[in-house]
Amino acid sequence: MNFNDNKAIYLQLGDRIMDAISAGTYSPGGRIPSVREFAAEVEVNPNTVVRAYEYLEQKGIVFNKRGLGYFVSDSAVSTILEMRRAVFYADELPYFFDRISSFGWTPDELAAEFKKYTTSKNSEIQ
């Protein structure tokens, strides 16, 4: 796994697990890889994986069954969505709006572009 120097490795591992949960690779109630399995897969120290799993546990995304491993919580998908929306609203959306404003776009123009974008995306899916 290639890591970004601007973010702690354990958080990047947490993001990877959250991506897999969001994609349906790990289902609510299902087991995620053991600390050793995941550490070997991503080639990091098991302590880093423990830290990632503890972070996910604190967020309510996974839970630990002592002696059995970590499992996906029933609310994991909605929790991940809420977390990612909050980050988007706080970090990415202000930048996006600043860029749009610098182009001189009006809200109506932005809405029209968004509608074109979503229409073309929907036609790609079908």
Side-chain angles (χ1 to χ4, degrees):
M1 182 170 171
N2 294 326
F3 295 104
N4 178 339
D5 291 338
N6 297 324
K7 189 173 187 179
I9 291 174
Y10 81 94
L11 292 174
Q12 293 177 64
L13 297 176
D15 285 343
R16 183 168 169 168
I17 293 292
M18 287 190 288
D19 289 344
I21 292 168
S22 295
T25 304
Y26 306 123
S27 301
R31 187 177 165 278
I32 62 174
S34 72
V35 168
R36 288 184 188 176
E37 290 169 342
F38 195 50
E41 178 184 329
V42 296
E43 299 176 340
V44 299
N45 187 302
N47 291 332
T48 305
V49 174
V50 167
R51 196 165 174 202
Y53 284 11
E54 287 174 347
Y55 166 77
L56 294 173
E57 188 172 26
Q58 288 171 352
K59 297 294 182 185
I61 295 167
V62 300
F63 61 94
N64 187 1
K65 287 186 182 179
R66 192 175 178 116
L68 297 176
Y70 286 88
F71 294 80
V72 178
S73 73
D74 290 339
S75 62
V77 174
S78 61
T79 300
I80 292 166
L81 183 59
E82 287 174 28
M83 285 174 55
R84 291 190 167 168
R85 279 185 178 161
V87 168
F88 178 79
Y89 289 147
D91 298 340
E92 297 176 42
L93 199 56
Y95 173 77
F96 173 75
F97 284 143
D98 284 344
R99 295 284 293 167
I100 293 300
S101 295
S102 74
F103 300 150
W105 282 12
T106 66
D108 290 339
E109 289 171 319
L110 177 59
E113 288 300 319
F114 182 70
K115 186 174 183 174
K116 278 196 277 187
Y117 174 80
T118 56
T119 301
S120 69
K121 280 292 190 187
N122 288 338
S123 66
E124 288 176 13
I125 294 171
Q126 296 171 350

